[in-house]
Amino acid sequence: MAIKEESYRLSNLKALEAESIGIIREVAAEFDNPVMLYSVGKDSSVMAHLAIKAFYPKKVPFPLLHIDTGYKFPEMYEFRDYYTKKHELDLRIHRNEEALKRGVNPLSVGTVKCCADLKTKALLDALKEGGYDAAFGGARRDEEKSRAKERIYSFRDKHGQWNPKNQKPELWSLFNSKIDPGESIRVFPLSNWTELDIWTYIYHENIDIVPLYFAKERPVIEKNGQLIPVYTDEHEGEVKDVMCRFRTLGCHYCTGAVKSEADTLPKIIEEMMVARHSERITRVIDHDQDSSMEQKKKEGYF
Amino acid sequence: MSSDSLIEQNQNIDLLRFATAGSVDDGKSTLIGRLLYDSKSIFEDQLNTIRTFSRAHRNQEIDYSLVTDGLKSEREQGITIDVAYRFFSTPKRRFIIADTPGHEQYTRNMATGASNASLALILVDARNGVVTQTKRHSFISSLLGIRNFVVAVNKMDLVDYSEEVFDNIVNEFNAFADKLSDESVYYIPISALKGDNVIERSENMPWYKGSTLLDYLENVNVSGGRNLVEFRFPVQYVNWGGGDDFRGYCGTIASGVIHKGDKVRVLPSGKTSKISRIVTYDGDLDYAFAPMAVTLCLEDDIDISRGDTIAKVDDLPGIAGSLEANVVWMDSTPLEIGKDYFIKHTTSTVKGNFEEVVHEFDPDDISMKSSEFLGLNGIGKVKIELKSPIFADIYSENRATGSFIVIDPLTNQTAAAGMITKYKQVSPDKACKAVKARIITYTGDKKEEAKVNYDRLSMHGTHCIYVDDDLLQETLCKGVPMDSVKYTEMIDDLCKIATRSGVSVVVCSDHLSS
């Protein structure tokens, strides 16, 4: 990754890295109270890594916020605590305790309502309580078609809502950070990265990720064509051990694994290069209804 | 090939960013859909969703426009509202496409997509020829500095693949392009719907001997627009504090190259120093170049804040007190002469107002007409008076230091994109005074609040000091009674000395003179 002597060319990854670091510093300089959303996934790991790089040798000057639904994979909680401690990141955690007490989960109320309570509401409440005027998210434009429409600075009104029809024009790398009290900006420093870029960068930079991304034999059940991991003994009989890994991480109820032999980063990258399905095919919540991601985003979901 | 070299190779292939342009219904989304589909860049699950929707709502096997029209309201209306950024790659090149809308109402989104592109793919409907919107988009692309144009004459299947129709459009566009500055234009007759000359060479147009669209995009030599000559480093964030004596200036190199040991001058103060370190997380560098994001350290301790610019001693940008610029107006509220706007340029945001609209351009023939203001999608040359100077270059020589956006302070809307064509220089001395140090006072039990504000100012790169009564009693004013005239005078003097040197003061005391 070193720059070749007297060559003034940046590799694709170095150019993406420079662009993202520029965005992260710009937000830290212009907003009073920024926060970085940290979902523990691979994109979060990359985004946090970029923040560490942006302010080196000083510490990252804003906190990380994990919106915890309470139903994340156990490996994710373990990794979250390890990663943030290792890099001395200021981690805040927010859960919609009231909804959890009510017993909200995807089986009891369905995925749409569950997401609305445990993710969107929790996120909006946490942003409001923290008084954050800018929140970084790790979304990429190549992920999903409504995300392909996002600006890097995505304006949200007082209720945290997105209006895709009225996005501010965004020219060059000059970002408009003027907002009124109560309004906020979601910032997507990884907008121009692809899934393959993320993996290649993780490989080159040796970035820690949750072990669930690597293939191994895991107990799963098959449900609507998805391989859903099992953490309780209620499915006895249907459970089988399958060599699999996860392309994205979410709540364990709603995230399927893919059959895979890729147990190292180079193998994952090779798998990516020939992938014929999008990474979000395993996310049950994306397929709730037509335009479900766009709808969630309008309401305030990332 | 080993996976390591495969990964390496994939990283080193070239990237081309291009933006689509053209009128509504010229078939931009369909063309992009076709490019992605034929280059096998659409995942199967996404394709299945598109297939299902196409069969149910469009009565056809695949409506390629659904690949990019990602918003529900776009699919409902069959139009593109906002830019969609799509990625695809071939073994030869990686591409980022900004698929921009054709509707006049959404011209601002077209400019958004074009501002970071190095090539414009302009679609023309073979049946309609070159229309006003085609010209408007081409003109905006040209103003934004795009020099490579591909004109894809689409829907050739609907004009019997006629060579004559194609030639007429080529002549028509050529006549228009002559009025732009130095564009290279390539023409390709295509049918996005049927796939003629998009990736596969068309059997329906044997008279066409040129490249297919993908072939052209893969091989076109695009001049980068990157300036490696003049070193410009707008200071973005001052990195210091936290118990050690590290003080670095973070930023993205806007243009040029910097080596460790180079002599630099800081604007607006005009002070000189040497680069002592180029700091990155991966270790210190001997040199760095645009567009790297680095942290610079200087040998001397000089006052530098966000918005300042570091340049080489003998190669400075202009210290601009007023501007002449081309602007594309993007707000439904028209430009108002004399009203205060924010001008965001590199890392500094200053206030400025429009003195006059020198002329407005008619996008149909790039003729100039006199105008009192610019309305939505208006393009014109304007004069701007700035309340504080900016450190600028001409846009055609330096994109990063020659561009700015205009923000309406009442609505916070991004009202315009500007490209500097000329500026009036102010003396460095005057520029220095324009950055005024302030005295911020707190009285009563506001110590905590004052400290928070001090931290915030420091974080944002303002040079400032903090004092309160306890601190004064321990140091400067030891033994001086707090209610005495002498005590008040001493605080006043301290503030005067600090602000005269450009340092702001946050002071919390009940014994201030006013």
Side-chain angles (χ1 to χ4, degrees), chain B residues 241-259:
Chain B
D244 57 38
D245 58 2
F246 180 85
R247 187 182 186 89
Y249 305 98
C250 303
T252 299
I253 302 175
S255 61
V257 180
I258 190 80
H259 285 79

Side-chain angles (χ1 to χ4, degrees), chain B residues 60-366:
Chain B
Q60 64 193 75
E61 184 56 22
I62 291 185
D63 178 351
Y64 294 103
S65 72
L66 295 173
V67 175
T68 56
D69 288 345
L71 301 175
K72 198 171 181 185
S73 38
E74 290 177 323
R75 289 194 295 278
E76 282 163 4
Q77 299 172 59
I79 60 162
T80 307
I81 291 170
D82 209 335
V83 194
Y85 294 90
R86 301 296 309 217
F87 305 72
F88 80 104
S89 54
T90 68
K92 284 193 177 158
R93 232 178 203 166
R94 298 162 58 99
F95 299 94
I96 299 181
I97 316 168
D99 181 26
T100 72
H103 268 264
E104 190 174 340
Q105 186 189 351
Y106 299 114
T107 299
R108 61 172 185 269
N109 296 336
M110 183 267 151
T112 291
S115 73
N116 290 313
S118 44
L119 179 144
L121 169 58
I122 296 158
L123 259 84
V124 175
D125 185 329
R127 296 167 306 171
N128 305 331
V130 179
V131 296
T132 300
Q133 195 65 346
T134 320
K135 294 177 183 169
R136 187 193 304 273
H137 282 179
S138 307
F139 183 41
I140 292 175
S141 302
S142 168
L143 275 182
L144 286 166
I146 296 178
R147 293 290 167 263
N148 291 277
F149 285 66
V150 188
V151 175
V153 179
N154 191 22
K155 306 194 185 179
M156 287 301 290
D157 53 315
L158 299 181
V159 294
D160 298 327
Y161 297 104
S162 156
E163 184 177 8
E164 197 192 338
V165 170
F166 177 70
D167 286 345
N168 286 341
I169 291 171
V170 170
N171 290 336
E172 207 182 335
F173 194 86
N174 259 337
F176 172 77
D178 279 347
K179 295 170 186 149
L180 307 175
S181 40
D182 293 335
E183 273 67 22
S184 91
V185 189
Y186 195 83
Y187 297 90
I188 308 175
I190 64 162
S191 164
L193 193 67
K194 311 269 180 193
D196 295 279
N197 287 336
V198 177
I199 288 183
E200 299 292 332
R201 176 158 285 282
S202 170
E203 286 171 9
N204 297 313
M205 291 175 274
W207 45 266
Y208 175 73
K209 307 286 182 223
S211 307
T212 64
L213 179 62
L214 184 66
D215 205 30
Y216 183 79
L217 293 173
E218 278 185 324
N219 294 298
V220 59
N221 190 4
V222 176
S223 47
R226 191 165 59 126
N227 177 331
L228 285 171
V229 184
E230 306 141 328
F231 174 71
R232 305 281 184 263
F233 188 80
V235 175
Q236 189 180 21
Y237 181 92
V238 181
N239 204 14
W240 71 292
D244 57 38
D245 58 2
F246 180 85
R247 187 182 186 89
Y249 305 98
C250 303
T252 299
I253 302 175
S255 61
V257 180
I258 190 80
H259 285 79
K260 194 183 156 188
D262 280 351
K263 266 190 102 173
V264 292
R265 192 182 297 277
V266 181
L267 295 172
S269 74
K271 294 200 171 107
T272 58
S273 184
K274 264 187 192 168
I275 300 290
S276 61
R277 289 178 67 189
I278 302 170
V279 177
T280 76
Y281 175 89
D282 302 305
D284 280 15
L285 303 175
D286 288 333
Y287 74 101
F289 52 90
M292 291 170 70
V294 295
T295 299
L296 300 181
C297 297
L298 301 184
E299 272 181 9
D300 306 277
D301 201 7
I302 33 182
D303 172 22
I304 303 175
S305 336
R306 173 179 161 84
D308 290 3
T309 286
I310 300 176
K312 287 192 184 160
V313 271
D314 47 2
D315 177 16
L316 299 178
I319 301 171
S322 61
L323 306 172
E324 209 171 272
N326 287 321
V327 298
V328 179
W329 200 259
M330 302 173 150
D331 199 358
S332 48
T333 313
L335 176 156
E336 198 180 313
I337 302 286
K339 171 180 162 177
D340 270 358
Y341 289 94
F342 288 118
I343 307 290
K344 184 165 186 184
H345 168 265
T346 67
T347 57
S348 75
T349 303
V350 302
K351 281 205 170 163
N353 51 62
F354 294 94
E355 286 188 305
E356 63 166 309
V357 176
V358 182
H359 53 246
E360 184 174 358
F361 291 103
D362 181 344
D364 253 327
D365 55 2
I366 330 262

Side-chain angles (χ1 to χ4, degrees), chain A residues 2-258:
Chain A
I3 298 153
K4 292 189 192 90
E5 186 55 43
E6 293 295 342
S7 76
Y8 300 135
R9 197 180 165 275
L10 286 184
S11 74
N12 173 54
L13 280 184
K14 278 287 172 193
L16 285 170
E17 179 190 73
E19 181 186 63
S20 302
I21 287 177
I23 295 163
I24 292 169
R25 286 171 172 171
E26 190 66 8
V27 171
E30 286 210 300
F31 289 88
D32 286 332
N33 194 13
V35 69
M36 182 169 274
L37 272 289
Y38 179 69
S39 68
V40 203
K42 62 184 189 303
D43 302 301
S44 276
S45 274
V46 167
M47 188 164 60
H49 182 76
L50 290 164
I52 293 165
K53 280 193 150 187
F55 302 102
Y56 175 84
K58 305 285 182 191
K59 280 188 201 165
V60 176
F62 43 74
L64 266 59
L65 175 63
H66 180 216
I67 300 303
D68 179 14
T69 58
Y71 297 113
K72 300 290 172 189
F73 292 94
E75 290 91 334
M76 290 172 74
Y77 292 112
E78 202 180 308
F79 178 85
R80 175 191 73 190
D81 296 338
Y82 153 79
Y83 187 83
T84 49
K85 200 174 163 198
K86 178 178 167 189
H87 296 287
E88 298 180 68
L89 298 162
D90 172 9
L91 175 72
R92 319 272 168 93
I93 298 162
H94 185 94
R95 288 154 60 121
N96 184 348
E97 297 292 356
E98 178 273 327
L100 286 169
K101 252 181 233 153
R102 262 194 286 130
V104 169
N105 69 50
L107 306 176
S108 68
V109 298
T111 55
V112 176
K113 282 184 182 160
C114 184
C115 269
D117 261 345
L118 297 183
K119 283 184 163 175
T120 306
K121 188 173 187 310
L123 171 66
L124 295 179
D125 286 350
L127 292 179
K128 205 171 175 184
E129 275 170 33
Y132 302 115
D133 51 1
F136 292 100
R140 309 186 320 268
R141 285 169 174 159
D142 81 325
E143 266 180 90
E144 202 271 344
K145 57 196 174 210
S146 70
R147 284 189 168 164
K149 298 265 164 182
E150 276 277 12
R151 296 286 191 263
I152 288 173
Y153 272 36
S154 178
F155 175 80
R156 302 299 160 108
D157 67 13
K158 284 191 173 68
H159 310 289
Q161 297 175 112
W162 182 56
N163 180 358
K165 277 195 183 180
N166 193 25
Q167 301 196 75
K168 289 179 186 179
E170 195 163 87
L171 291 111
W172 304 286
S173 42
L174 292 170
F175 303 109
N176 178 350
S177 59
K178 299 281 179 201
I179 52 168
D180 286 334
E183 296 169 345
S184 64
I185 303 275
R186 304 280 170 86
V187 185
F188 302 107
L190 303 180
S191 286
N192 290 324
W193 296 58
T194 63
E195 188 185 10
L196 183 57
D197 293 327
I198 292 287
W199 281 116
T200 317
Y201 190 69
I202 288 171
Y203 170 67
H204 272 296
E205 298 276 311
N206 203 11
I207 298 170
D208 289 323
I209 47 167
V210 184
L212 290 165
Y213 286 113
F214 295 105
K216 76 171 201 187
E217 283 212 339
R218 296 185 166 92
V220 294
I221 54 159
E222 236 176 307
K223 203 169 140 192
N224 304 327
Q226 306 264 21
L227 296 176
I228 303 291
V230 179
Y231 284 95
T232 58
D233 33 331
E234 50 187 300
H235 299 285
E236 222 176 327
E238 305 162 53
V239 182
K240 49 185 179 182
D241 282 335
V242 177
M243 187 74 174
C244 61
R245 68 180 202 89
F246 293 86
R247 273 178 85 181
T248 70
L249 293 178
C251 296
H252 63 75
Y253 280 118
C254 297
T255 309
V258 289

